[in-house]
């Protein structure tokens, strides 16, 4: 009776365990390279053996070991032991490096404990003095915690992280973390965020007098390629509104399901979004009572809640960030068409007050309806656009009219860099700059006026 061939199921291939075929002279997985049939049917099973392949940390050097056993469970145990032996040998080499781990001092706290205390500080624990508490979003706290776990994870094969103090974090550790992040193929922005989190952590320790140096200080940020910011032309904007004049264009079938992306309130919502530069959720939840008037009872501004920032800063329920949007003449006309005179100061919603779907669903529907309308036009083939493009149109035009610094005051962004990177179109600024002249014509005009005055005085003298 022939010896059965060895085979490792796909979901159990671990610890670098492979099958070495003495007949083929290569490693095999699912197919016999001799007969090109399934490995389970291989006639050379008696020449199969288990082989372990392990790569040394950092160096990537390949280490192999052929096993005598043909029992899969025993092979897995031997493979795991061999893998640990290789890592242990590498760890001994690291300990003997030129930059050894400095002996810990009694004053230097443990790294893991410091990370735990920092997370308590981030969450605003009661043990933190009230004057030092700062509202931080749950998402931000999770990102910091995730970064800490990643740092510990990429070091634990080479260092006993339970004993490492904050002063023992050296360049070998920071370089190892750098390589770990790059291996995950993160974007430049996420790389900067992850490394910046560790640097911010150490800056906090420096302020508290717990650390003497910041080992992450001076890390080179990845270059982030600025994306071209698309905005709508006036013709494209008018074309989108024209689509909403034909509700039949919004009906479509998805399999057996029929969908309708038309609602009468979407078109006014698009107009208000363009004229205010605010996000869909902010407009959907705005009420007539949010409109402020001047001393002459004329519409002056619309107060909206910045839901995005309020959630990020964990202040939505307690002290949400509010933004005052100036009401332009165009904006005023749209509000008048929607019934301002009748509904002003009421608690009804400005957009879709009679809509039965909840406000969160309306926000999602608004974006999908706009995207569907955009897809009905020919220009959509060469240009991508979502509901967010309306905000970019407004902020680009506003920046061109009054300058980015002044536009930031209205949009309430933390700095002008955010506007430049994400919202303001260079093309819009360029169109505005076409009337710009390097050399002012004031002097030339003044010279012409002087000539006219001299000529006039001359005529008077002759008389």
């Amino acid at each position: 009776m022939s010896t059965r061939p060895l085979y490792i199921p796909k979901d159990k291939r671990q610890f670098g365990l492979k099958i070495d075929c003495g007949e083929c002279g290569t490693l095999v997985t699912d197919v016999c390279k001799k007969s090109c049939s399934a490995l389970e049917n291989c006639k050379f099973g008696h020449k199969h053996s288990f082989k372990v392949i392990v790569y040394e940390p950092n160096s990537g050097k390949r280490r192999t070991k052929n096993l005598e056993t043909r029992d899969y469970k025993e092979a897995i145990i031997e493979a795991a032991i061999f893998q640990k032996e290789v890592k242990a040998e590498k760890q001994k080499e690291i300990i003997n490096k030129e930059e050894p781990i400095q002996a810990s001092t009694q004053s230097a706290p443990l790294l893991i404990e410091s990370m735990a205390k920092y997370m308590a500080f981030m969450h605003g624990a009661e043990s933190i003095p009230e004057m030092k508490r700062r509202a931080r979003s749950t998402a931000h706290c999770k990102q910091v915690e995730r970064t800490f776990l990643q740092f510990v994870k990429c070091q634990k094969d080479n260092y006993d992280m339970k004993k490492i103090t904050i002063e023992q974090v050296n360049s070998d550790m920071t370089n190892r973390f750098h390589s770990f992040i790059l291996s995950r193929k993160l974007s430049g922005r996420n790389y900067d965020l992850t490394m910046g989190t560790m640097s911010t952590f150490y800056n906090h320790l420096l302020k508290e007098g717990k650390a003497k140096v910041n080992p992450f200080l001076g890390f080179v940020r990845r270059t982030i390629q600025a994306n071209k910011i698309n905005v709508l032309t006036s013709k494209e904007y008018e074309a989108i509104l024209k689509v909403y004049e034909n509700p039949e264009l919004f009906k479509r079938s998805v399999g057996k399901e029929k969908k309708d992306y038309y609602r009468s309130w979407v078109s006014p919502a698009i107009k208000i979004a363009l004229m205010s530069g605010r996000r869909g959720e902010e407009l959907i939840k705005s009420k007539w009572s949010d409109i402020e008037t001047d001393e002459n009872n004329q519409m002056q501004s619309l107060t909206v809640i910045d839901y995005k920032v309020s959630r990020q800063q964990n202040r939505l329920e307690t002290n949400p960030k509010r933004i005052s949007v100036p009401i332009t003449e165009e904006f005023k006309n749209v509000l008048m068409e929607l019934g301002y005179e009748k509904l002003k100061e009421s608690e009804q919603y400005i957009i879709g007050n009679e809509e039965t779907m909840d406000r969160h669903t309306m926000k999602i529907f608004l974006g999908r309806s706009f995207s569907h309308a955009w897809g009905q036009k020919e220009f959509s083939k060469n240009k991508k656009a979502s509901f967010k493009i309306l905000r970019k149109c407004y902020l680009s035009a506003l920046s061109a009219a009054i300058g980015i610094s002044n536009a930031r005051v209205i949009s309430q962004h933390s700095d002008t860099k955010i506007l430049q990177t994400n919202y303001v179109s260079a093309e819009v600024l360029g169109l505005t700059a076409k009337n710009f002249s390097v050399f002012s014509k004031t002097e030339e005009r003044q010279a012409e006026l002087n000539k006219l005055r001299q000529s006039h005085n001359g005529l008077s003298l002759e008389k």
Side-chain angles (χ1 to χ4, degrees):
M1 186 176 179
S2 61
T3 305
R4 292 187 61 182
L6 297 177
Y7 179 73
I8 305 175
K10 288 184 179 179
D11 59 341
K12 295 182 179 180
R13 294 169 187 171
Q14 52 187 332
F15 299 111
L17 191 62
K18 309 288 183 182
I19 297 174
D20 188 22
C21 180
E23 180 67 21
C24 301
T26 59
L27 299 176
V28 290
T29 52
D30 299 310
V31 180
C32 174
K33 298 183 180 179
K34 203 77 172 176
S35 62
C36 295
S37 60
L39 188 62
E40 294 94 325
N41 302 324
C42 178
K43 298 178 181 180
F44 308 100
H46 60 288
K47 293 188 176 182
H48 287 183
S49 64
F50 285 115
K51 186 174 186 176
V52 189
I53 300 176
V54 179
Y55 295 90
E56 290 182 353
N58 301 321
S59 67
K61 185 179 178 181
R62 191 171 184 260
R63 300 279 296 276
T64 63
K65 182 180 181 180
N66 285 81
L67 309 180
E68 293 182 2
T69 182
R70 291 182 63 85
D71 183 87
Y72 170 74
K73 292 182 179 179
E74 291 181 3
I76 281 291
I77 294 172
E78 290 186 31
I81 293 172
F82 180 68
Q83 191 179 65
K84 285 187 177 181
E85 289 175 351
V86 172
K87 290 182 178 180
E89 291 175 8
K90 192 64 180 177
Q91 188 170 0
K92 289 180 181 178
E93 293 177 15
I94 291 173
I95 293 173
N96 295 325
K97 277 189 172 183
E98 291 183 1
E99 187 187 4
I101 290 291
Q102 300 295 324
S104 62
T105 61
Q106 292 182 348
S107 60
L110 294 174
L111 177 66
I112 292 179
E113 289 182 0
S114 299
M115 287 178 169
K117 290 180 180 179
Y118 183 70
M119 289 309 305
F121 169 73
M122 294 290 289
H123 285 290
E126 292 183 1
S127 58
I128 307 299
E130 188 173 353
M131 67 177 183
K132 291 186 178 182
R133 293 178 196 169
R134 178 182 170 189
R136 292 174 175 85
S137 68
T138 303
H140 179 59
C141 291
K142 285 183 177 179
Q143 183 272 321
V144 174
E145 186 176 3
R146 188 163 54 248
T147 299
F148 287 165
L149 291 173
Q150 289 171 349
F151 182 79
V152 173
K153 180 181 177 180
C154 75
Q155 311 289 347
K156 66 180 182 179
D157 289 338
N158 303 283
Y159 298 96
D160 186 354
M161 296 306 293
K162 293 181 180 179
K163 297 180 180 179
I164 295 294
T165 67
I166 58 174
E167 291 183 358
Q168 291 176 327
V169 176
N170 53 28
S171 60
D172 178 64
M173 286 184 169
T174 56
N175 286 331
R176 192 182 301 279
F177 190 50
H178 161 80
S179 300
F180 173 78
I181 300 173
L182 292 182
S183 69
R184 297 181 63 218
K185 298 181 180 180
L186 298 178
S187 65
R189 182 175 182 179
N190 283 328
Y191 172 89
D192 292 347
L193 177 64
T194 305
M195 293 294 285
T197 296
M198 292 301 298
S199 183
T200 302
F201 165 57
Y202 262 89
N203 284 337
H204 172 78
L205 295 176
L206 287 170
K207 290 179 182 178
E208 295 292 319
K210 301 292 179 62
K212 297 179 180 178
V213 293
N214 182 351
F216 293 89
L217 186 66
F219 75 92
V220 179
R221 295 181 178 272
R222 306 287 104 178
T223 301
I224 300 176
Q225 183 65 36
N227 296 323
K228 179 182 178 182
I229 299 173
N230 288 325
V231 293
L232 295 179
T233 64
S234 59
K235 290 183 178 180
E236 289 169 343
Y237 172 66
E238 294 297 334
I240 287 291
L241 295 180
K242 196 75 176 177
V243 175
Y244 282 91
E245 295 178 6
N246 187 356
E248 292 298 319
L249 294 175
F250 291 85
K251 295 179 180 179
R252 56 174 296 191
S253 297
V254 182
K256 295 182 179 180
E257 187 180 1
K258 292 184 178 180
K259 292 190 175 183
D260 186 356
Y261 289 112
Y262 178 82
R263 292 289 190 281
S264 59
W265 51 264
V266 175
S267 181
I270 290 175
K271 293 178 183 178
I272 293 177
L274 182 79
M275 296 166 190
S276 67
R278 300 317 306 172
R279 303 180 183 93
E281 182 179 13
E282 298 167 7
L283 301 180
I284 288 294
K285 295 182 179 179
S286 294
K287 298 180 179 181
W288 290 105
S289 57
D290 296 326
I291 296 177
E292 302 289 338
T293 57
D294 58 18
E295 62 275 7
N296 298 319
N297 290 325
Q298 297 296 310
M299 285 184 275
Q300 186 173 23
S301 62
L302 171 67
T303 302
V304 299
I305 295 177
D306 190 332
Y307 289 95
K308 179 180 177 181
V309 173
S310 296
R311 289 193 183 100
Q312 287 176 342
Q313 298 179 352
N314 199 25
R315 52 185 281 196
L316 183 59
E317 302 299 330
T318 55
N319 182 30
K321 180 181 179 181
R322 299 181 186 275
I323 293 177
S324 182
V325 183
I327 297 178
T328 61
E329 197 64 30
E330 289 179 315
F331 193 177
K332 178 180 176 181
N333 292 336
V334 175
L335 293 172
M336 292 296 287
E337 291 174 4
L338 291 175
Y340 170 75
E341 291 295 343
K342 181 180 178 181
L343 300 169
K344 58 183 177 181
E345 299 182 4
S346 74
E347 291 301 312
Q348 293 188 28
Y349 292 108
I350 296 175
I351 296 173
N353 189 69
E354 304 300 324
E355 180 58 62
T356 55
M357 67 175 80
D358 60 67
R359 294 285 133 176
H360 176 72
T361 307
M362 285 178 67
K363 180 196 73 171
I364 298 173
F365 183 90
L366 179 60
R368 290 177 178 174
S369 179
F370 180 91
S371 297
H372 181 84
W374 180 263
Q376 304 300 306
K377 308 306 295 182
E378 286 296 322
F379 47 67
S380 64
K381 296 179 181 179
N382 302 318
K383 185 176 181 179
K384 292 183 179 180
S386 63
F387 187 80
K388 189 177 181 179
I389 201 171
L390 300 169
R391 179 166 165 80
K392 294 178 182 179
C393 288
Y394 174 86
L395 292 174
S396 294
L398 184 67
S399 298
I402 65 176
I404 293 180
S405 296
N406 293 327
R408 185 193 68 80
V409 176
I410 294 176
S411 67
Q412 291 292 298
H413 282 95
S414 57
D415 56 47
T416 56
K417 185 177 180 181
I418 296 176
L419 277 174
Q420 291 174 315
T421 306
N422 301 294
Y423 294 103
V424 178
S425 169
E427 293 181 1
V428 173
L429 297 182
L431 288 172
T432 307
K434 279 189 174 181
N435 296 324
F436 167 75
S437 175
V438 176
F439 297 105
S440 173
K441 295 184 178 180
T442 305
E443 295 181 2
E444 182 179 341
R445 179 60 179 162
Q446 188 64 44
E448 292 178 358
L449 289 173
N450 289 337
K451 286 183 179 180
L452 286 172
R453 290 193 185 99
Q454 290 175 0
S455 175
H456 179 72
N457 290 336
L459 290 172
S460 298
L461 287 171
E462 287 178 3
K463 285 183 179 180

